[in-house]
Amino acid sequence: MSAAALRLIRCRRLSTAGPPGLRKALQWRTWKKLAKVTGAVVLGGCLFITYEVVALDKAVTIDTSVILQEKYKSYIYLRATPSDEMENFTTGMTYKARKELHKAARRFMEMSSRVLLGSLNEHFSHVDADPHEVALWVLLKRTQSTDKAVRLQATQELADNHHWHDYQYQTAAQVIDQRTAVGLARTPRVDLRFFLPPPPLPNLEEGLSAEDGLRNLLASLPLSEVDKCVQYFTSLALRESTQSMAAQRGGLWCFGGNGLPYAQSLTSVPSEKVESFCLQALVQHSKVQSHCDHIVVNGGLQLLQRVFQLRRDSLKIQGNIVRIIGNLALNESVHQDIAQSGWVSVLAEMMQSPHVMQASHAARALANLDREMVEEKYQDGIYILHPQTRDNQPIKADVLFIHGILGAAFKTWRQKDRNMLEEKEDESITEYTECWPKSWLAADCPNLRILSVEYDTHLSDWMAKCPAENQRKSLAFRSQELLKKLKLAGVGERPVIWVAHSMGGLLVKKMLLDASDNPDMQGLLKNTKGIMFYSVPHRGTSMAEYSVNVRYLLFPSIEVRELCKDSPALRNLNENFLKLANEKEFNVLSFAETVPTNIGSMIKILVVPTHSANLGIGELIEVDVDHLNICKPEKKDSFLYKRSLQFIQEALQSYISH
């Protein structure tokens, strides 16, 4: 028998033989030893297992720093670089803590979404972001909701939050779709970091300039079965040499004014001039629906982007380019091409331009792209002055501004020009507006849609842009052309106020008479609630006769001939309109000039005398201004503006007051 066994037997004998107290003491000692041994074994085992796990982890761990760097690059994260080791350590710890917090928040969001809305979109399920970034990704998901109201609200909230970091804006720019990008571009004061810059442009062929590219694009467009003026514009733009083009530009009918300096010197036309000439031809082509696809397929969007970037300092060239984009945007089939070529970011930037013309061109193009919020389509020459962005304010009525001879959609309605002496005397005027309907009327009546209509008018056929167009400039042709554009823009679906200057008033009367004969335009007639005339020659003007003796007006155009004093056409137009106005009970307000207008350096003439400005119905107010300034209030609190505002508000009181 072994010594251990004998010792165990002996201990048992002693334990059974001894007193009870001794037995309890021996049992406690035994359990104490067993506990120590067991604890030592467990602790040692844990230490051993931990060591093995750590060693194994080190053996299989891969350094992912390079992968993380590439990941940050792909998301365009802009990371601050700590300046010393302590900052590096702090930044690392902070990042790890925030990452762990985000993981917890992410699990909670996923669990909530499964219960309430279903799992998060798989497009976002792999995203690794900080806790405060969860809100960004939730908004981005909501912009792709099938519910239109949810999409619109998410887009608005996305733009309203201004606490995003640079890399978050860049991440959002890569994720948002075309629909959301257009919505953001039409949001007031949107942060431009939401938009990716235009993609790199393809390299031009060696020796090929932007000017050559424009000519090649024009040459690729069809000329059969198109307007004669489109053919005319294209043929001029495709002259073989710049010298021959310079000679053609010598006529007074040319684009953009007098080209005589180029014709006389027979020097080469600067590239910028040729580009401008080609762009004006492209404007005409872009009005032809069947040509829009040709422009896109032949690389027109990228070429226009190149010229736009090249001529950053030319507002005229940029304006014509955006006119083309706005015309192309009338065709939904090319919306994706427009977005992919980077035009949404360009238009978003132009929307914030201080120049009213640039902002309005961009507003029109974006409105045509925004099929989410805008049902109307704005053709060339129809400009939105208000609201130019998405607005929660419901539109209750429309106000249309129609200019006169030699007028334009913006310059006709600018604030009265003030000389330096007046500015010094009245220091209270610190701001000047290029378009008072956009600046003043929109602020006083925010629930109005304000449109300005532009069309070509010329005092002489020598100045006509297209000789083939001379016989198409009658009031009858203009009326039919504009009625089609206004109907497409939704004019007539809500109450309408017309505001017209000079010959524009005759055009308004003609349009309303034509609408009365057209069953499809009865809504426009029914919803016309008021007309405001600024020096409109209802009975003609002696200037049309006097201009025959003025050298630069030797050949009066159709517009001027139609304005001859007491002409049969004017008399007939006025009589028919008076019958219509009385029948429909139009509200009418007329302003008449009392100050002669300077015609040249030595001639002054009262263009529209009071008796001609008097329609025969409504109120007539004489104002101490000339013909050009009758529609240009001097300041916002001037009588001319206040009375105009009062008329609009009273005519629409029952519609805009609730």
Side-chain angles (χ1 to χ4, degrees):
M1 184 179 297
S2 64
L6 290 173
R7 185 176 299 176
L8 181 59
I9 294 172
R10 186 179 179 182
C11 287
R12 284 181 177 177
R13 288 176 179 173
L14 288 174
S15 63
T16 55
L22 180 60
R23 288 199 302 270
K24 290 182 180 179
L26 289 174
Q27 288 177 358
W28 170 248
R29 290 177 183 175
T30 302
W31 286 110
K32 189 175 181 180
K33 288 182 179 179
L34 288 173
K36 288 182 179 180
V37 173
T38 303
V41 172
V42 171
L43 179 62
C46 289
L47 290 175
F48 175 76
I49 293 173
T50 301
Y51 172 79
E52 291 297 327
V53 169
V54 171
L56 180 63
D57 181 66
K58 289 182 178 180
V60 300
T61 296
I62 300 175
D63 185 4
T64 61
S65 59
V66 176
I67 299 175
L68 287 175
Q69 290 178 6
E70 293 301 318
K71 173 185 175 183
Y72 291 137
K73 290 179 182 178
S74 67
Y75 285 105
I76 321 181
Y77 287 170
L78 304 179
R79 302 172 57 196
T81 303
S83 58
D84 51 43
E85 293 183 1
M86 181 58 69
E87 290 185 2
N88 277 328
F89 176 76
T90 304
T91 301
M93 293 297 292
T94 302
Y95 173 77
K96 290 179 180 179
R98 292 170 70 188
K99 184 175 180 180
E100 292 302 319
L101 286 173
H102 165 65
K103 287 180 179 179
R106 185 70 187 178
R107 293 189 195 100
F108 174 77
M109 292 295 297
E110 289 177 344
M111 291 175 62
S112 300
S113 65
R114 290 190 187 101
V115 175
L116 300 176
L117 301 174
S119 61
L120 291 177
N121 190 304
E122 60 180 346
H123 186 68
F124 303 131
S125 60
H126 66 282
V127 173
D128 187 15
D130 290 340
H132 66 282
E133 295 169 357
V134 174
L136 172 64
W137 289 108
V138 170
L139 286 177
L140 291 174
K141 170 180 167 46
R142 287 170 55 197
T143 61
Q144 299 183 4
S145 170
T146 56
D147 189 328
K148 178 179 177 180
V150 173
R151 294 197 303 269
L152 296 177
Q153 182 64 26
T155 302
Q156 184 65 49
E157 291 181 14
L158 196 63
D160 288 343
N161 285 295
H162 301 289
H163 62 274
W164 311 121
H165 298 298
D166 284 345
Y167 72 91
Q168 290 174 297
Y169 283 109
Q170 294 297 328
T171 301
Q174 295 178 68
V175 172
I176 59 176
D177 56 12
Q178 169 190 322
R179 180 174 56 197
T180 305
V182 172
L184 288 171
R186 296 195 70 236
T187 302
R189 298 175 297 278
V190 68
D191 196 304
L192 296 179
R193 289 175 291 179
F194 274 120
F195 307 97
L196 292 174
L201 296 171
N203 295 326
L204 290 173
E205 297 179 13
E206 186 176 355
L208 191 67
S209 64
E211 172 189 335
D212 296 328
L214 288 172
R215 291 193 183 188
N216 290 342
L217 177 60
L218 282 175
S220 69
L221 298 176
L223 286 177
S224 58
E225 300 181 3
V226 296
D227 188 279
K228 290 183 179 180
C229 280
V230 177
Q231 298 181 18
Y232 172 76
F233 293 135
T234 304
S235 64
L236 285 184
L238 293 177
R239 297 297 186 189
E240 293 182 1
S241 68
T242 54
Q243 288 188 355
S244 64
M245 186 178 292
Q248 291 293 333
R249 290 176 61 86
L252 292 178
W253 43 260
C254 70
F255 291 120
N258 192 351
L260 285 175
Y262 298 117
Q264 292 171 352
S265 62
L266 289 180
T267 57
S268 296
V269 179
S271 294
E272 183 176 344
K273 293 291 184 181
V274 179
E275 291 166 7
S276 179
F277 201 60
C278 292
L279 287 172
Q280 291 180 66
L282 279 173
V283 167
Q284 305 305 317
H285 276 278
S286 65
K287 295 179 184 180
V288 183
Q289 184 175 358
S290 61
H291 289 197
C292 293
D293 289 333
H294 288 279
I295 293 175
V296 173
V297 169
N298 289 296
L301 291 171
Q302 292 77 15
L303 180 60
L304 293 174
Q305 188 76 252
R306 184 183 302 279
V307 179
F308 188 93
Q309 302 299 334
L310 181 66
R311 301 301 180 189
R312 279 280 185 180
D313 57 339
S314 175
L315 296 180
K316 181 179 179 181
I317 284 183
Q318 293 200 339
N320 277 329
I321 290 176
V322 179
R323 279 181 67 188
I324 296 171
I325 300 300
N327 292 342
L328 294 176
L330 290 167
N331 306 279
E332 295 185 38
S333 61
V334 300
H335 282 191
Q336 185 176 0
D337 297 286
I338 293 174
Q340 290 179 347
S341 55
W343 279 107
V344 175
S345 62
V346 173
L347 296 174
E349 182 180 357
M350 282 191 71
M351 281 283 287
Q352 301 181 14
S353 170
H355 301 285
V356 62
M357 290 181 63
Q358 303 302 93
S360 297
H361 282 307
R364 169 181 166 258
L366 283 171
N368 286 336
L369 287 171
D370 189 5
R371 297 299 92 190
E372 181 91 327
M373 281 284 287
V374 183
E375 295 180 0
E376 303 85 2
K377 291 187 176 181
Y378 300 94
Q379 290 191 321
D380 196 60
I382 307 295
Y383 295 100
I384 318 165
L385 301 183
H386 175 79
Q388 293 189 334
T389 57
R390 286 185 176 181
D391 197 341
N392 294 326
Q393 184 78 33
I395 301 301
K396 301 292 185 65
D398 291 336
V399 179
L400 272 64
F401 286 80
I402 317 291
H403 64 77
I405 289 179
L406 295 182
F410 306 102
K411 73 175 185 179
T412 293
W413 311 108
R414 67 182 183 271
Q415 183 180 353
K416 180 183 177 182
D417 297 324
R418 300 171 62 83
N419 57 41
M420 297 298 293
L421 181 60
E422 289 175 326
E423 290 179 356
K424 291 181 179 179
E425 291 177 353
D426 190 356
E427 297 179 355
S428 62
I429 296 184
T430 57
E431 295 184 359
Y432 175 84
T433 177
E434 296 176 322
C435 187
W436 63 263
K438 180 179 184 295
S439 301
W440 299 348
L441 183 59
D444 290 329
C445 302
N447 52 2
L448 296 180
R449 181 177 64 156
I450 305 173
L451 302 178
S452 187
V453 176
E454 185 166 88
Y455 57 98
D456 291 332
T457 62
H458 301 90
L459 287 174
S460 170
D461 286 348
W462 284 100
M463 299 177 66
K465 288 186 178 180
C466 173
E469 203 175 55
N470 289 339
Q471 300 304 315
R472 308 187 326 166
K473 292 189 175 180
S474 64
L475 285 176
F477 177 83
R478 295 287 189 207
S479 172
Q480 294 297 330
E481 183 181 50
L482 290 180
L483 279 175
K484 293 177 183 177
K485 291 183 177 182
L486 293 177
K487 183 175 178 58
L488 196 62
V491 175
E493 298 176 3
R494 54 175 72 94
V496 179
I497 296 290
W498 302 82
V499 182
H501 174 239
S502 190
M503 195 194 78
L506 304 180
L507 185 54
V508 169
K509 294 195 298 183
K510 180 59 177 172
M511 282 193 287
L512 290 174
L513 285 171
D514 288 345
S516 66
D517 296 330
N518 187 344
D520 294 333
M521 302 298 298
Q522 293 304 302
L524 176 61
L525 200 64
K526 179 181 177 181
N527 281 316
T528 293
K529 303 303 177 183
I531 310 170
M532 191 155 48
F533 295 114
Y534 290 105
S535 284
V536 173
H538 300 292
R539 293 172 176 80
T541 171
S542 58
M543 181 182 176
E545 301 168 354
Y546 187 78
S547 65
V548 176
N549 299 318
V550 181
R551 183 176 180 181
Y552 62 88
L553 297 177
L554 266 180
F555 298 94
S557 64
I558 289 177
E559 293 104 320
V560 177
R561 292 199 294 272
E562 287 183 332
L563 295 179
C564 286
K565 185 177 179 181
D566 296 324
S567 71
L570 277 184
R571 192 183 312 115
N572 186 53
L573 174 65
N574 201 48
E575 290 175 356
N576 291 335
F577 180 76
L578 283 175
K579 293 178 182 178
L580 179 67
N582 286 317
E583 177 187 344
K584 300 297 182 181
E585 298 182 345
F586 295 152
N587 294 303
V588 176
L589 173 64
S590 301
F591 292 98
E593 67 201 63
T594 59
V595 176
T597 302
N598 289 326
I599 306 296
S601 59
M602 301 180 62
I603 303 173
K604 285 188 176 182
I605 184 174
L606 199 62
V607 179
V608 181
T610 301
H611 74 274
S612 184
N614 186 2
L615 178 61
I617 59 173
E619 183 180 3
L620 176 68
I621 301 176
E622 295 183 333
V623 187
D624 292 333
V625 292
D626 60 21
H627 185 72
L628 297 178
N629 288 308
I630 190 70
C631 56
K632 299 177 179 63
E634 187 174 1
K635 47 190 176 181
K636 192 173 181 180
D637 61 356
S638 65
F639 169 79
L640 192 59
Y641 174 72
K642 291 172 67 176
R643 185 64 186 90
S644 300
L645 175 63
Q646 180 186 355
F647 174 79
I648 294 173
Q649 291 176 330
E650 290 178 351
L652 299 174
Q653 183 176 7
S654 60
Y655 304 99
I656 64 177
S657 59
H658 55 80

